[in-house]
Structures are given as C-alpha cells and as structure tokens.
Amino acid sequence: FSEPPKKAAAARASQPASAVTDRRFGKLPRVYVDMKYVLVTGGVVSGLGKGVTASSIGVLLKACGLRVTSIKIDPYLNTDAGTMSPFEHGEVFVLDDGGEVDLDLGNYERFLDIKLTRDNNITTGKIYQAVINKERKGDYLGKTVQVVPHITDEIQDWIERVAMNPVDGTDKPADVCVIELGGTIGDIESMPFIEALGQFSYRVGPGNFCLVHVSLVPVLTVVGEQKTKPTQHSVRGLRGLGLMPDILACRSTQPLEENVKLKLSQFCQVPVSNIVNLHDVTNIWHIPLLLRDQRAHEAILKVLGLWCVGKVPQEPKLSEWTERASRFDKLKSPVRIAMVGKYTGISDSYLSILKALLHASVALDRKLVVDWVPSCDLEDSAAVETPDAYEKAWGLLKGANGVLVPGGFGDRGVQGKILAAKHARENNVPYLGICLGMQIAVIEYARSVMKLRDANSTEFDPAAKTPCVIFMPEGSKTHMGATMRLGSRRTFFQVNNCKSAKLYANANYVDERHRHRYEVNPDMVSEFEKAGLSFVGRDESGRRMEIIELPTHKFFVGTQFHPEFNSRPGKPSPLFLGIDRCVVWTARAPASAYFRCCQLTDQVHRRSRS
C-alpha cells in the first residue's frame, strides 16, 4: 500500500473531500488509496469475452483471499438496459435492487457469488443525467459544464463510490474492484471514459491500478500462422489515448506459440510473464484455471503491490472450480430440454436461463442439451407458410424430456407457447414456465380445461372478454423504462407439501427477482383453483400470484419471478433442479421420481450451506 491501512484510513477521515486538487482543473474528491483497481479493456473486435475474462480475474483474486467487487461500463446513451431488445444486447439481467443491467453483471454475480447494485453498471446516460441534475441544482454555478472535467470527474467519483459498497453479504468493502470497459478501444462513445480512466490511474497512483487489455491473435487460414499485428495496433491505440497495458490477455483458437509471445512483448512493451493466453476451451469454467496456470494472479498482484506484503496467500485455492470444470467435460448422459421462445436465434437472449439449466444438469451429472424451438414455428399458420420449420419445431418439442417457456414481451409467438404448454400438460411432460411462461400456462388452462375460449392476457388483447392476465394497477402505461415490478420480492408458500416448497427445502417463503408488468387476475383465482390449478405461492398481500402448480402432473410449475437470476455454479436454482431431476428420475423410476428429486435437492442445499 502507499500508506499503512490504518494511517491511510485516518488520513481520509480527517481530510475534507475538497482537499485534493487536480493539477489542471481544481478540486476533486478524495481518493481511496487502499482500494485496488483492475481495468479490463478490449481491442480489435467486440465479443472477445471481456466479461468472462473480468469475471475470471475476479475469481482468481478471490481465491487468493481478497474481497472482490465489479463494475461494468457501457458507453451507450441508454440510462439502463431495461428498454433494449434482446436482439440488440442479449438478455436484461435484473439485480436485487431492481436494476436492469447488462448481462455481464450476471457473469460477475455467478462467478464471484456476490450481489451487485444498479450503480455497478455505469452508462453514458447515467453519467450525463447525473451531471445535468447537478447543473440544474447549481452545483457548477459560474462554471461552463464540459466533458472535461465535469463528465470525467463524475465517472471517477462514481467508480470510487460504488467500489466501496459491500457486495459479499458482509459490511466490509472489497479489496479489489474489477472494472470492465464495454466496446473496443477507439470507439467514439468510449472517449470520455478512456480520458476519465487515464486521469483515474494517475489519481490513485502506482500500485493501485492494473490495466488488462484483451485482444485477438487470429490465424489466417491461407498463411496458417498466428498474427500479432492486430494486437500491436490495438495496444498502440490504447497508448495513444493515455493508457498503458500492464497485462495482455490474448484470445486465440489455439495456445499461443512462444515466439508469438516474444514478438508481442517486444512490440507492445509488456513483459513476457505478463502476457497470458486465453485460447478456446471446452467450458468457461476453465478460464480461471487457465489464468492460474499462467501465473496471471502473480502478475496482477505484483502490479497492485500485493505480492510481497503478506496480505494474501500466493496460491489461489481453486479446487472447487477444477472439480466442476473437469466434471463438466466428462458428462455424457443427456438431459434434453425444449426452450420455446421468440428470441431463440440468439442464445444470449436467455443466457441466465441457460446457465441455470447448466448448473442444475452438472449437479445431476447430466449433459445439458437444449433444443431451441421458435414459438412462431409451432403455430398453425406456420404449417401452411413454412411447413418444414413447422415439422422441425414439433419434432423437437415432442422429442424433448422437458419443456421450458421463458419470459418475454409482445404477442408474437404467443400462440405457439400456448400450444407448447398444452403439449406438456396433456402428455405429462415436465414443464417450467417463467414469468410470461407462467401466464401462458394459466391462459392455456383457462381455454382448454375451463373451456373459457376467450381467455387471454390484456397484453395481447386489451379488450379481452375473459382477462385472466391483467396489467398491474401500479404500472405506467406511458413510460417503459424502470416502470415494471422489479427486483427481489418475497413469495410466501400457501401449501406446505407442494413441489415448489419441497424444492426450496420446505421454506415458508423465498426471495426471488422479478421483472413484469402483468399479473394473473386475482378475481379469477378461485375459479382456477376449483378447476384444479393450484396457486401455491403468493406475495405478502395474498392477492398477487407468484407460483402455480398442477398437483396431478409430475412437474408442471410456473413462476412469476425469475429464479434463474439467483442460480450459481455449485448452488443451482431449486426449480431448475426440479425440472431436470424430474426428467432424469422419471426415466429411471417414474413412480418415485418426485420424491427422489426432493431428496437430491436437500443434498444440494446441505452442500450449499456447508
């Protein structure tokens, strides 16, 4: 550290925020010099895996005994990801506090087993909004508000403030903050953040800031050799903007050759020991192990001045990650799940659901196979317009061991989802409906079992004669962003011996994350229950339906909340364990499938607590 921790803390406490002065622009807030920062940037092309790299660095540092937090910087003008299409940006990840954020924060939470807040996702929209609000209040009275210093100062202030927030369930701040800068070096929209981070590295000083640059080392098929020029140009651009990489993380299809590392070291002015190779692997759980094997933790800790101070063990403890990655590679027996949705062409649209299914299947020692079923292709109109796609979709649905209908918005493909729910219900196929998937199951039950042919959601038909799903009264019909029922909410079990309660270890209630603006019509609940559909979970008022079950079915469950957002490697979501285990144990012994499922769930809960 630049100062002994106690002395530094005492100095900060006695120093007013206005005491630190920038060499050019005057007053700046105090800097937390005992916080360490790791910045992850990307070059050449997008989609290199900066998010997984940042998460894996966090895992490595956490395995060394450090507390780690994460921040994602997205340079787009949106305030948050809430109004963005999955086709544009993948899924919207929801946090406990209701923040709608970039999917990379989901990676951070899953890898590091932490809980972040909406402030851990910085966007250009948030920064400019904060500066404009201050200008309107008169905080900059007499000054011309500019990108430099006002926007850049706000970025730095935001990073310092959020980095100190505890994220691991304790009241202690993190030791290291891993910051990922979205996009690639050279993007116009990233320039204020690049300038701010350059200033920030100077402010926190040597030994408190480490820059990891992720770049591509491609192989041209004609030449057949690994080319370093793209990375050289990327590093040159980074240096031209005032940032010097401490560590190079080179993405490639195959391991880097030694002469390639030497060339990169010479032209990028980075020591060979600080060049790590992130080549393609069988699963992303190998990435922290790749970094460990190449001594990346040693390089990072040396840059941060932590290698010799006796604060952390020098060898990361990653036995659990090693076992999990190895187990994944050995899986052979499949569990086949049909994912019926409208964004099936882009797997990132359902990333958290895929990860939750994966966590559950690995816990069961089963290889996950997801059959992507476009819901539009299940509809009767598709039989006429695209008969081949129609036959393929129904073939996949009927061949699957379980059916999952995820959340979504809009009426496109809804009829196909209703048909998928009907197929699962009538053929005793395990079914899990999430958010819209639960509402779909309710609509299908009303139409097919209760003979309410006009049953619908007011989202799809505002003038529905039998509105079994309605717009929530507290919602806004004029503004889309951040107006839904968002974040962690408590669900109370109404039936103690229901499948869901047993999967949650016979808990009285459960806290899960939500993202919806429509709900099951509470005035119709009694009719549904008389017809055999059980609403086993409700909110604290008792009028908002949270979980449905069909008692006569082996596993037919719908949830208004999103259980996938709380699933972790080694701590799978109970409901995803439920559908996967029902599939597995039904194949072995149908009569005892459910009871064996609950026994295995109890085992996982005990492992998680230990």
Side-chain angles (χ1 to χ4, degrees):
F1 297 105
S2 55
E3 293 183 78
K6 291 183 179 178
K7 184 178 179 181
R12 287 200 311 276
S14 62
Q15 185 181 45
S18 59
V20 181
T21 302
D22 182 86
R23 63 191 185 281
R24 292 173 294 172
F25 301 115
K27 296 179 180 179
L28 289 174
R30 63 178 179 264
V31 177
Y32 297 102
V33 295
D34 52 345
M35 171 67 71
K36 307 292 184 176
Y37 299 90
V38 178
L39 172 64
V40 179
T41 62
V44 184
V45 295
S46 60
L48 287 178
K50 294 190 303 299
V52 173
T53 302
S55 301
S56 299
I57 289 172
V59 168
L60 201 59
L61 296 177
K62 185 177 180 180
C64 287
L66 294 165
R67 290 188 299 274
V68 182
T69 186
S70 293
I71 293 175
K72 172 68 186 295
I73 297 175
D74 284 305
Y76 48 68
L77 281 170
N78 303 62
T79 300
D80 57 34
T83 58
M84 298 176 73
S85 165
F87 289 120
E88 287 279 333
H89 212 65
E91 77 167 4
V92 176
F93 191 80
V94 180
L95 303 171
D96 269 2
D97 67 353
E100 297 172 285
V101 297
D102 183 82
L103 59 81
D104 279 324
L105 274 79
N107 279 327
Y108 305 157
E109 286 206 342
R110 285 187 289 268
F111 270 57
L112 297 171
D113 193 18
I114 57 178
K115 291 192 175 183
L116 302 173
T117 69
R118 68 181 74 222
D119 287 343
N120 288 83
N121 191 191
I122 303 175
T123 69
T124 300
K126 287 180 180 179
I127 295 296
Y128 274 76
Q129 190 173 56
V131 169
I132 290 170
N133 289 341
K134 288 182 179 180
E135 188 275 331
R136 293 290 83 190
K137 287 167 59 181
D139 289 1
Y140 307 121
L141 202 58
K143 298 290 185 181
T144 301
V145 180
Q146 298 174 294
V147 172
V148 180
H150 301 99
I151 295 296
T152 52
D153 285 357
E154 184 65 32
I155 293 168
Q156 295 173 72
D157 296 347
W158 196 300
I159 290 172
E160 287 176 0
R161 183 180 72 252
V162 174
M164 298 301 294
N165 293 337
V167 295
D168 59 358
T170 70
D171 59 354
K172 298 178 180 179
D175 300 304
V176 181
C177 177
V178 180
I179 307 165
E180 179 193 348
L181 176 61
T184 56
I185 294 301
D187 293 345
I188 293 175
E189 59 266 27
S190 299
M191 291 305 177
F193 292 100
I194 294 289
E195 174 63 24
L197 291 164
Q199 292 181 21
F200 189 68
S201 66
Y202 172 79
R203 286 173 58 184
V204 298
N208 293 311
F209 189 88
C210 176
L211 199 163
V212 180
H213 187 59
V214 183
S215 188
L216 178 67
V217 179
V219 174
L220 299 180
T221 54
V222 176
V223 181
E225 65 174 332
Q226 295 173 332
K227 309 299 289 186
T228 64
K229 196 65 72 176
T231 297
Q232 291 181 44
H233 284 296
S234 180
V235 171
R236 185 178 295 117
L238 187 63
R239 291 168 61 191
L241 294 169
L243 290 171
M244 181 69 181
D246 297 296
I247 296 171
L248 280 182
C250 299
R251 285 283 291 112
S252 61
T253 54
Q254 298 296 327
L256 281 187
E257 300 168 6
E258 195 60 33
N259 66 305
V260 173
K261 283 190 176 183
L262 291 170
K263 192 174 182 180
L264 286 170
S265 175
Q266 179 182 5
F267 287 98
C268 299
Q269 300 175 21
V270 176
V272 174
S273 59
N274 286 17
I275 298 177
V276 296
N277 178 214
L278 302 177
H279 56 78
D280 293 350
V281 290
T282 52
N283 68 77
I284 62 172
W285 293 334
H286 280 290
I287 302 300
L289 308 180
L290 266 182
L291 292 171
R292 178 203 59 187
D293 294 343
Q294 296 174 78
R295 312 299 296 174
H297 59 287
E298 182 176 338
I300 294 170
L301 292 174
K302 283 181 178 178
V303 174
L304 295 178
L306 293 174
W307 183 245
C308 298
V309 298
K311 180 176 175 60
V312 297
Q314 295 185 358
E315 290 302 321
K317 299 177 181 179
L318 288 170
S319 56
E320 184 180 341
W321 280 85
T322 304
E323 188 274 333
R324 188 182 300 119
S326 175
R327 187 198 306 178
F328 179 94
D329 291 338
K330 296 175 183 177
L331 300 178
K332 293 182 180 179
S333 301
V335 53
R336 187 175 293 274
I337 303 293
M339 182 91 77
V340 183
K342 60 190 287 189
Y343 309 116
T344 53
I346 302 177
S347 60
D348 274 0
S349 300
Y350 303 112
L351 183 62
S352 291
I353 289 178
L354 284 176
K355 297 303 181 185
L357 285 169
L358 181 64
H359 301 160
S361 64
V362 171
L364 280 169
D365 292 322
R366 290 294 181 274
K367 182 177 181 179
L368 175 65
V369 179
V370 175
D371 291 325
W372 297 97
V373 182
S375 55
C376 293
D377 292 345
L378 295 172
E379 297 176 356
D380 295 340
S381 58
V384 178
E385 298 169 2
T386 54
D388 291 343
Y390 177 83
E391 292 294 332
K392 180 182 178 181
W394 275 103
L396 290 173
L397 183 65
K398 291 179 179 179
N401 307 125
V403 177
L404 194 153
V405 177
F409 299 92
D411 59 357
R412 184 172 66 86
V414 164
Q415 186 56 36
K417 295 176 184 179
I418 291 174
L419 291 171
K422 183 177 182 179
H423 164 78
R425 181 182 58 79
E426 292 182 342
N427 294 280
N428 208 25
V429 176
Y431 175 90
L432 178 59
I434 297 173
C435 196
L436 177 61
M438 173 183 128
Q439 297 171 8
I440 288 293
V442 169
I443 295 170
E444 189 279 324
Y445 198 84
R447 291 180 182 180
S448 302
V449 178
M450 300 168 65
K451 307 303 179 184
L452 301 173
R453 304 300 181 188
D454 295 323
N456 211 337
S457 167
T458 56
E459 179 181 7
F460 315 133
D461 180 9
K465 295 181 180 179
T466 310
C468 54
V469 177
I470 61 172
F471 190 82
M472 292 188 298
E474 67 268 33
S476 171
K477 294 186 177 181
T478 58
H479 288 71
M480 300 290 288
T483 59
M484 290 184 277
R485 184 169 178 251
L486 295 164
S488 182
R489 310 280 180 141
R490 183 157 291 181
T491 295
F492 293 88
F493 290 106
Q494 309 296 307
V495 182
N496 293 330
N497 64 345
C498 66
K499 297 181 178 68
S500 301
K502 290 185 177 180
L503 287 169
Y504 279 101
N506 295 311
N508 294 321
Y509 61 84
V510 62
D511 295 319
E512 294 282 9
R513 300 177 185 180
H514 294 69
R515 185 176 185 248
H516 66 108
R517 55 169 51 94
Y518 290 84
E519 63 174 336
V520 174
N521 188 345
D523 295 334
M524 293 187 64
V525 168
S526 60
E527 295 179 54
F528 279 108
E529 292 192 321
K530 288 177 183 177
L533 188 64
S534 181
F535 292 88
V536 300
R538 305 188 184 194
D539 75 341
E540 64 280 357
S541 71
R543 283 187 55 81
R544 184 156 284 157
M545 303 303 114
E546 293 282 4
I547 307 175
I548 66 165
E549 285 186 13
L550 197 57
T552 57
H553 196 284
K554 71 172 71 168
F555 192 91
F556 193 90
V557 177
T559 66
Q560 189 60 74
F561 52 77
H562 289 262
E564 69 271 20
F565 292 141
N566 279 325
S567 185
R568 304 284 184 267
K571 300 178 184 178
S573 165
L575 292 174
F576 284 88
L577 277 172
I579 186 171
D580 277 6
R581 282 176 176 155
C582 188
V583 167
V584 171
W585 290 100
T586 297
R588 291 184 176 183
S592 61
Y594 166 65
F595 298 102
R596 177 58 177 158
C597 169
C598 293
Q599 291 171 7
L600 289 172
T601 303
D602 288 341
Q603 293 172 16
V604 170
H605 278 297
R606 285 195 294 271
R607 286 203 302 269
S608 298
R609 286 193 293 267
S610 63

